[in-house]
Amino acid sequence: MPQSPDVPLDGLYGDLILEHFRSPRNRGILAEADLESEEFNPFCGDRIILQLKFDDAGTVVEVGVRSEGCSIIQATASLMSEAMKGQKLEDLDALALAFRDTMYGRDEGEKSSVDLGPLKSLTVVRQFPVRIKCALLPWVALEEGIKKYRSSNSHAQSG
Ligand code: ZN
């Protein structure tokens, strides 16, 4: 039985995605994490566990990623992990929003002030709408993780 084809990747953007797929960054488990989140997409067996560690100023100092599944989720998780370092929670909100808008083609007119940098390479996935979910899964994990982190934090402060 032939496997369903992965997204065909070539050109400059494709090369970058493949490179991150083959050599994923920040892969591993953090001994201590302030934020942890897991998401699963049964469509192609994509799974991600995302961990973040913040310093006292609330800046991301460490990222831990465990991902499995197709090339797109693994490359996205790797590219995302690099983009998150040195960012604060509100920067991550903006980054996730800008990425989502870009993947759905809502980035016309440079409304966003967020520079996606190497993450822009993932715009090739827009040609394969069914795979956009693969590229968004790590961001869903991030957004859900942020929600959880914020609610547990505000709880601690009010108590
Ligand atoms: Zn996938």
Side-chain angles (χ1 to χ4, degrees):
M1 281 285 280
Q3 294 209 318
S4 60
D6 215 329
V7 173
L9 296 167
D10 49 28
L12 192 63
Y13 280 175
D15 287 349
L16 186 65
I17 293 172
L18 279 176
E19 201 266 316
H20 274 262
F21 171 54
R22 289 176 182 139
S23 317
R25 317 297 201 273
N26 302 300
R27 198 167 179 82
I29 302 166
L30 301 183
E32 273 180 60
D34 297 307
L35 180 159
E36 181 165 328
S37 184
E38 178 171 5
E39 291 292 330
F40 178 60
N41 171 15
F43 172 74
C44 51
D46 292 343
R47 182 187 298 277
I48 176 155
I49 299 172
L50 177 69
Q51 293 176 303
L52 296 180
K53 187 163 174 49
F54 304 110
D55 65 10
D56 291 342
T59 305
V60 176
V61 286
E62 272 189 89
V63 183
V65 173
R66 275 163 290 168
S67 63
E68 57 188 67
C70 69
S71 57
I72 296 303
I73 183 175
Q74 303 213 43
T76 306
S78 175
L79 283 157
M80 184 179 92
S81 73
E82 290 207 308
M84 290 190 299
K85 282 206 176 156
Q87 309 269 359
K88 297 194 171 197
L89 271 188
E90 54 267 32
D91 303 323
L92 299 181
D93 288 334
L95 194 65
L97 196 65
F99 185 80
R100 194 180 288 274
D101 279 352
T102 297
M103 292 311 285
Y104 284 117
R106 296 193 292 248
D107 57 336
E108 297 89 12
E110 298 178 23
K111 277 167 289 184
S112 173
S113 58
V114 177
D115 182 8
L116 289 173
L119 283 164
K120 280 186 206 137
S121 62
L122 290 159
T123 53
V124 294
V125 179
R126 291 198 300 213
Q127 299 161 45
F128 313 94
V130 73
R131 309 308 292 275
I132 290 177
K133 277 199 165 64
C134 303
L136 287 177
L137 198 68
W139 301 89
V140 174
L142 173 65
E143 289 167 335
E144 290 302 313
I146 289 175
K147 247 186 252 173
K148 241 181 358 188
Y149 176 79
R150 283 198 170 118
S151 69
S152 65
N153 244 30
S154 62
H155 198 70
Q157 279 164 12
S158 67

